[in-house]
Amino acid sequence: MKAILLAGGKGTRLRPLTIHTPKPIVPIFGRPFLDYQIDLLKQVPEIDEVILSLNYQPRRIEESYGDGSEHGLKIRYVVEPIPLGTAGAVRYAGDSLRDTVVVFNGDVLTLVDLAAVIRLHRERRALATIVLTPVENPTAYGLVETDPDGRVRRFLEKPSPDEITCDTINAGIYVLEPRTFDRIPTETAWSIERSFFPSLIERGETFVAHVYRGYWIDIGTPEKYLQVHRDVLDGRFSAPNTPAVGHGWLSPDARVEPDARVDGPCFIDEGVVVKAGAHIGPYSVVGRHSHVEEQAHVAGAILWPNCRVGREASLGGAILGRHCHVGRNATIRDGVVLGDKSAVTDYSRL
Ligand code: GDD
Ligand code: MG
């Protein structure tokens, strides 16, 4: 069985982080995000190949994953000439497929039991099966209403507040029968959420839902990107092959000077230097080879590799791309997002 990972979006809501790093490979505790999805797909022995459907900065992703042999799963790349939308991308990537296929949005992190979803799809002889998950505010997602027998009754992408009728949303994980793909146009962008799924409902076809109530997040905004790190540090999500971050992690190859203070849970990666008098507070994530200088204070910020935080600077819950330089005594508050190589002058306040 093949899995198609939709990883061609531009990641606009995560800009400026995604200017040089496509969303599928933004680091989560030093590992590219796709690693976590590949780990999940590997749990289903039946899945023998992942097709990465790409459009934006495909080279960066191909270089990271090659043929997949290092990751224990065959990986193939399909690069669209133009963004074809979520349905167009599925058709473009899956046109030659004849067997049931699993489709995944490239920005969701979850522990859903994929094998159970595939079983349900087969038991119900469905043309399409979708994973749903409850959220507090469905407006940023695809709202999905179901019948008591688990069939999808209505699909409404990005509902306005007055259109919300239930709390279950599209989790971005589908099992599909490729014989439906020829309904998707090939020349223009086509949306799986706005066009393909509603058309299945209109035709009364077997479109069923698997409701998953465990861990699920879409990492596509700075708030959610920060949230996923907190969730892991709090032990709400634990990923295989990631250093024990449930209670924080201090790399043995990091150097924390004796009178620096580190309060967990936080994550300090290899090659990091924390100088005397500096303080790293809970939920901070300090990427490889970053330096935090004397008396600086990092309170819940995420630093990508090779950042430097100057003396007495203070960072709240901000996100800093690679090679950022924060000058001495600068103050950066919660919510600030800096692109790679940003330089913040001494005494600045952001
Ligand atoms: N190849 C390709 N081509 N991939 C695309 C394209 C395209 O033209 N457009 C989007 N994608 C990929 C994105 O990279 C992402 O992985 C996935 O498709 C979903 O796109 P997003 O832009 O992240 O959509 P969203 O988060 O607003 O909404 C989607 O996900 C929600 C769950 O997180 C929808 O599927 C919602 O219904 C759903 O609730
Ligand atoms: Mg998304």
Side-chain angles (χ1 to χ4, degrees), residues 11-253:
T12 48
R13 288 162 291 185
L14 272 182
R15 281 181 189 157
L17 298 168
T18 44
I19 300 284
H20 298 292
T21 306
K23 181 165 67 168
I25 55 169
V26 297
I28 308 276
F29 297 106
R31 293 178 74 204
F33 180 69
L34 269 181
D35 280 23
Y36 297 82
Q37 293 196 319
I38 289 172
D39 284 347
L40 181 75
L41 293 170
K42 278 201 312 211
Q43 288 172 13
V44 184
E46 213 184 324
I47 296 178
D48 56 5
E49 187 181 54
V50 180
I51 303 171
L52 287 183
S53 161
L54 306 179
N55 183 256
Y56 179 68
Q57 298 190 347
R59 282 266 253 353
R60 291 288 315 278
I61 300 176
E62 291 191 44
E63 280 162 16
S64 305
Y65 288 91
D67 63 2
S69 45
E70 274 175 35
H71 294 265
L73 196 60
K74 224 166 111 194
I75 298 181
R76 185 148 62 86
Y77 304 87
V78 176
V79 181
E80 298 151 26
I82 51 157
L84 289 172
T86 42
V90 168
R91 172 156 195 187
Y92 194 76
D95 227 8
S96 62
L97 305 181
R98 297 291 164 261
D99 295 332
T100 310
V101 59
V102 171
V103 176
F104 235 84
N105 280 356
D107 58 357
V108 298
L109 185 65
T110 176
L111 292 171
V112 68
D113 180 352
L114 265 186
V117 182
I118 297 166
R119 265 200 313 276
L120 172 75
H121 180 80
R122 290 188 172 136
E123 279 163 19
R124 299 287 296 264
R125 297 177 189 281
L127 267 190
T129 300
I130 183 170
V131 177
L132 309 183
T133 195
V135 295
E136 263 175 34
N137 178 7
T139 53
Y141 306 99
L143 178 101
V144 184
E145 290 176 12
T146 51
D147 283 336
D149 67 351
R151 285 173 78 113
V152 175
R153 183 167 62 197
R154 186 156 170 253
F155 195 115
L156 190 59
E157 185 64 16
K158 310 283 180 333
S160 56
D162 59 324
E163 289 175 312
I164 293 169
T165 48
C166 62
D167 67 350
T168 41
I169 59 120
N170 168 20
I173 300 162
Y174 326 117
V175 184
L176 304 177
E177 289 307 315
R179 63 176 184 278
T180 56
F181 294 174
D182 59 7
R183 305 173 186 176
I184 300 167
T186 50
E187 303 301 324
T188 68
W190 203 251
S191 159
I192 205 163
E193 300 87 355
R194 294 178 196 275
S195 303
F196 181 77
F197 288 143
S199 85
L200 293 183
I201 299 166
E202 263 168 39
R203 291 166 180 239
E205 285 169 321
T206 316
F207 180 18
V208 302
H210 171 101
V211 180
Y212 171 67
R213 298 185 184 279
Y215 189 80
W216 180 89
I217 196 167
D218 173 335
I219 61 139
T221 62
E223 296 71 32
K224 297 291 179 184
Y225 181 75
L226 281 162
Q227 183 68 44
V228 75
H229 287 84
R230 286 181 161 257
D231 290 344
V232 172
L233 288 168
D234 279 338
R236 279 197 286 276
F237 176 86
S238 61
N241 308 321
T242 303
V245 284
H247 306 287
W249 190 69
L250 172 61
S251 164
D253 299 321

